[in-house]
Amino acid sequence: MLMRTDPFREMDRIVQQLSGTSGTWSKPSVMPMDAYRDGDAYVIAFDLPGVNTEAIDIDVERNMLTVKAERRPVLKADSVKMELAERPLGVFSRQIMLADTLDTERIEADYDAGVLTLRIPIAERAKPRKISIRADASPKQISA
């Protein structure tokens, strides 16, 4: 039901982690995610620790889901001297192609403990359904 749009994004994420570079608006870092089906919905969970909800942007255009977030540095007093800074800052983004069988009009988003969770219901037209057969007492004849 979900399709990754760029096979090289994971390689870029690893290179950025190893080099210590942060994402920018023109070249954002990739955020880690999990995706799974839970009953009649797909669930996608993104790791965004330390990101305020005001800095998260979720868009759907046709079947393309885009999640963008920015982790800004925490303002410190002039007397504070940073000794170690390992937490990545900058812009993070992820684009996912959603299947036509998902209902993009009813996506729900929750943010708790640094995890953004999206629930995307499966469209009614995509759910399995039973087709009833009408019993007709008189067989139809084909004229010659």
Side-chain angles (χ1 to χ4, degrees):
M1 292 281 188
L2 306 174
M3 187 174 91
R4 291 185 181 196
T5 57
D6 186 353
F8 298 103
R9 294 286 299 245
E10 185 66 17
M11 228 173 2
D12 287 344
R13 183 184 68 79
I14 292 169
V15 169
Q16 285 178 343
Q17 280 183 333
L18 293 174
S19 67
T21 57
S22 298
T24 63
W25 284 106
S26 61
K27 185 151 177 67
S29 298
V30 176
M31 64 188 83
M33 69 171 232
D34 290 333
Y36 55 92
R37 183 172 177 167
D38 181 15
D40 286 341
Y42 268 88
V43 179
I44 307 173
F46 299 93
D47 280 348
L48 293 171
V51 176
N52 292 325
T53 55
E54 300 84 33
I56 300 173
D57 187 36
I58 306 167
D59 291 315
V60 175
E61 185 175 338
R62 295 190 185 146
N63 289 4
M64 181 64 71
L65 172 73
T66 303
V67 177
K68 216 171 216 185
E70 183 177 12
R71 184 179 304 124
R72 298 177 180 104
V74 178
L75 298 176
K76 308 227 183 320
D78 291 336
S79 61
V80 174
K81 183 178 175 185
M82 185 63 85
E83 295 291 332
L84 180 66
E86 292 182 346
R87 296 177 20 197
L89 301 173
V91 180
F92 302 88
S93 179
R94 198 73 185 247
Q95 283 192 315
I96 303 165
M97 180 67 78
L98 302 176
D100 290 332
T101 56
L102 298 177
D103 188 350
T104 59
E105 298 293 321
R106 300 183 332 170
I107 296 175
E108 296 175 0
D110 295 303
Y111 186 67
D112 184 41
V115 178
L116 173 67
T117 304
L118 303 180
R119 292 188 64 79
I120 309 168
I122 295 173
E124 289 298 320
R125 61 181 158 59
K127 292 180 183 175
R129 61 190 179 281
K130 191 75 167 160
I131 307 297
S132 62
I133 302 171
R134 289 184 289 158
D136 190 13
S138 60
K140 298 187 181 194
Q141 294 183 2
I142 301 173
S143 53

